């Protein structure tokens, strides 16, 4: 790949560099870990860059579908070539306008978070003269994995509490414009190891089968979620899941015996695993400072550039990869950005090589939850440049720009 130093010099910092070869490798690895019949959704929120979306959709053979949660993401995935029939629309706050746009575009598969959400979808679908297939998102009362980031089992705006679904059955099946097509689960994120991931999937499949029996509704589609792990803004490699395929096949054979023949379609979803290790964030050193015994490296990009998780304190500290792979780490300091807020911290107590103003550092595994998950408009600083490469080939260079549109005066 073109050297980071050369790219930083040519296009400036802060900059993201995305390598499409690594995106393709992640898609290939994850699809290889899943049974042939299992479909894979890419969560566009992880990185909706057009080049990454096109790469993840793929060409011939098994391709990713798209999971979205807004009309902005809808436009992005349609623009990248995903057909509307390959899209799953999710989220707890779907508005009438959003639903109208999605259904008009041809989207027919929706994840439903509540009875009210289902009725909203049905009202718009009925007005447009179509029927929406709806997956009941399930907030299961129990779980398998005891570690990782739990996404179920607690009071939440996401999904139906599993214990309430049987009593809601008749009302769920009686919403004009909709058909209950199956269930959607997302019980955890970033499983600590393959055993934890397999255990959670087995539990989810068992719950899905039990729910199908309790509701007495034949499921045509079951999305069992994700939880695939990947390093985020730290050094490391994506795990390979060598035992997952056989474990899923065994569990699905037991609980959904017709799945191999298409009696019920099974899907998984992933965001960070597919996009994360494709990206490297290049940030420039603006200043060095010491305060009361602590060192600070002040950068030209902070949580306005990489704030999706760093701003929530969930990835501190990040790690830094020096250009010279043999360069020793010579100091420990906090990496802070240029914003006028003490919350603009990318990492505390980070091991760093010797640095001086004008140097550039590289943060690895930063391909997910970057610019579009950051405080891009805060203080009016420009968005980072996004550089896309494929091996040695420079594919594109772009930057998100914000433009204020005024309503015509006569409409005020």
């Amino acid at each position: 790949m073109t050297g980071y130093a050369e790219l930083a010099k040519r296009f400036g910092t802060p900059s993201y560099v995305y390598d499409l070869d690594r995106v393709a490798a992640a898609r290939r690895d994850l699809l290889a870990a899943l049974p042939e019949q299992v479909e894979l959704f890419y969560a566009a929120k992880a990185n909706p860059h057009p080049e990454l979306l096109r790469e993840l959709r793929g060409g011939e053979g098994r391709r990713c579908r798209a999971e979205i949660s807004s009309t902005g993401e809808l436009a992005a995935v349609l623009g990248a070539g995903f057909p509307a029939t390959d899209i799953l629309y999710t989220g707890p706050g779907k508005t009438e306008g959003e639903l109208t746009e999605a259904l008009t575009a041809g989207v027919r598969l929706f994840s439903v978070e509540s009875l009210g959400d289902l009725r909203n979808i049905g009202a718009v679908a009925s007005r447009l003269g179509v029927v929406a297939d709806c997956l009941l998102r399930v907030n299961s009362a129990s779980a398998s994995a005891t570690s990782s980031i739990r996404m179920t089992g607690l009071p939440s705006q996401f999904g139906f509490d599993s214990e309430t679904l049987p009593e809601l059955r008749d009302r769920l099946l009686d919403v004009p414009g909709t058909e209950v097509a199956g269930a959607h689960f997302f019980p955890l994120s970033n499983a600590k190891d393959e055993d934890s991931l397999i255990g959670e999937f087995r539990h989810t499949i068992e719950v899905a089968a039990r729910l199908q029996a309790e509701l007495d509704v034949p499921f045509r589609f079951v999305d069992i979620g994700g939880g695939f792990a990947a390093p985020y803004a730290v050094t490391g490699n994506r795990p390979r899941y060598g035992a997952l395929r056989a474990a899923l096949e065994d569990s699905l054979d037991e609980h959904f015996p017709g799945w191999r023949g298409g009696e019920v379609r099974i899907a998984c979803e992933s965001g960070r695993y597919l996009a994360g290790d494709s990206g490297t964030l290049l940030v420039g050193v603006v200043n060095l400072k010491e305060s009361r015994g602590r060192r600070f490296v002040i950068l030209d990009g902070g949580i306005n550039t990489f704030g999706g998780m760093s701003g929530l304190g969930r990835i501190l500290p990040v790690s830094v990869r020096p250009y010279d792979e043999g360069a020793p780490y010579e100091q420990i300091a906090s990496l802070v950005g240029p914003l006028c807020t003490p919350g603009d911290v990318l990492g505390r107590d980070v091991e760093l090589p010797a640095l001086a103003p004008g140097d550039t550092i590289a943060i690895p595994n930063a391909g997910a939850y970057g610019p579009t998950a950051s405080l891009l408009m805060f203080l009016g600083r420009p968005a980072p440049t996004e550089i896309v490469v494929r091996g040695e080939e420079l594919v594109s260079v772009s930057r998100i720009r914000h433009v204020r549109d005024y309503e015509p005066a006569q409409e005020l």
Side-chain angles (χ1 to χ4, degrees):
M1 187 190 71
T2 304
Y4 293 141
E6 178 185 341
L7 292 172
K9 182 177 180 180
R10 183 175 175 184
F11 298 111
T13 57
S15 294
Y16 281 88
V17 183
Y18 307 125
D19 189 338
L20 295 180
D21 282 346
R22 299 191 71 84
V23 176
R27 179 171 65 94
R28 184 170 58 248
D29 288 347
L30 191 49
L31 284 172
L34 299 173
E36 188 70 26
Q37 298 89 340
V38 171
E39 301 175 30
L40 178 62
F41 285 98
Y42 171 62
K45 61 179 174 287
N47 190 332
H49 192 289
E51 304 286 1
L52 270 70
L53 288 174
R54 280 191 283 269
E55 188 66 37
L56 285 163
R57 177 175 177 262
E60 298 299 323
R62 295 178 75 189
R63 306 184 302 186
C64 284
R65 301 180 66 179
E67 184 259 303
I68 64 170
S69 298
S70 71
T71 52
E73 289 183 344
L74 173 64
V77 300
L78 290 174
F82 287 86
T85 51
D86 274 359
I87 296 171
L88 169 63
Y89 203 116
T90 71
K94 309 176 195 73
T95 67
E96 180 181 356
E98 292 169 349
L99 291 169
T100 299
E101 187 169 339
L103 286 162
T104 301
V107 178
R108 292 294 181 268
L109 186 62
F110 293 82
S111 176
V112 178
E113 312 279 0
S114 64
L115 181 58
D117 190 25
L118 181 66
R119 286 171 172 165
N120 290 341
I121 294 170
V124 176
S126 295
R127 175 166 56 80
L128 295 175
V130 299
V131 175
D133 281 336
C134 295
L135 306 181
L136 305 177
R137 178 160 176 173
V138 180
N139 180 7
S140 180
S142 59
S144 171
T146 57
S147 63
S148 312
I149 300 174
R150 297 296 326 152
M151 303 291 287
T152 191
L154 299 172
S156 174
Q157 71 268 44
F158 299 111
F160 293 85
D161 295 342
S162 58
E163 64 273 20
T164 69
L165 278 169
E167 66 189 56
L168 291 173
R169 177 193 183 277
D170 291 344
R171 282 178 283 176
L172 293 171
L173 299 180
D174 193 33
V175 178
T178 70
E179 185 169 335
V180 174
H184 177 200
F185 298 80
F186 199 89
L188 85 165
S189 178
N190 203 35
K192 71 168 184 174
D193 52 39
E194 187 169 22
D195 286 343
S196 296
L197 183 66
I198 289 173
E200 195 64 57
F201 276 140
R202 282 174 170 159
H203 177 75
T204 295
I205 292 167
E206 179 183 347
V207 170
R210 184 170 66 246
L211 182 62
Q212 177 181 238
E214 290 175 349
L215 296 179
D216 192 24
V217 175
F219 286 171
R220 293 184 284 112
F221 202 109
V222 177
D223 183 338
I224 60 175
F228 308 104
Y232 185 53
V234 295
T235 56
N237 299 311
R238 284 184 293 103
R240 303 288 184 89
Y241 295 114
L244 179 59
R245 177 190 281 249
L248 285 177
E249 289 174 343
D250 289 345
S251 186
L252 289 167
D253 284 341
E254 178 182 356
H255 295 288
F256 289 95
W259 75 280
R260 293 180 186 266
E263 183 177 302
V264 55
R265 295 164 64 185
I266 305 296
C268 292
E269 58 192 79
S270 178
R272 184 171 64 181
Y273 186 95
L274 292 169
D277 81 343
S278 72
T280 300
L281 172 60
L282 307 179
V283 280
V285 177
V286 176
N287 196 11
L288 306 176
K289 178 184 176 181
E290 290 199 15
S291 175
R292 294 180 174 143
R294 294 188 62 191
R295 293 181 178 181
F296 295 86
V297 176
I298 301 170
L299 307 169
D300 59 9
I303 58 174
N304 60 315
T305 297
F306 191 52
M309 297 297 174
S310 183
L312 299 176
R314 285 173 58 175
I315 64 165
L316 301 174
V318 298
S319 63
V320 168
R321 181 172 59 212
Y323 288 145
D324 180 356
E325 296 293 345
Y329 293 115
E330 297 185 2
Q331 61 175 314
I332 294 178
S334 292
L335 295 176
V336 301
L339 306 183
C340 296
T341 170
D344 191 15
V345 179
L346 291 186
R348 298 187 179 94
D349 300 327
V350 180
E351 289 186 321
L352 299 167
L355 294 171
D359 288 344
T360 304
I361 62 175
I363 298 174
N365 291 313
Y369 302 107
T372 56
S374 303
L375 302 179
L376 276 182
M377 296 188 69
F378 190 48
L379 292 182
R381 302 185 75 88
T385 302
E386 294 178 273
I387 304 163
V388 180
V389 301
R390 188 188 299 277
E392 296 294 327
E393 175 192 0
L394 181 62
V395 176
S396 71
V397 179
S398 63
R399 175 179 287 165
I400 297 170
R401 299 189 187 278
H402 297 283
V403 178
R404 186 182 300 276
D405 290 326
Y406 283 91
E407 295 294 331
Q410 62 269 25
E411 296 182 7
L412 300 179

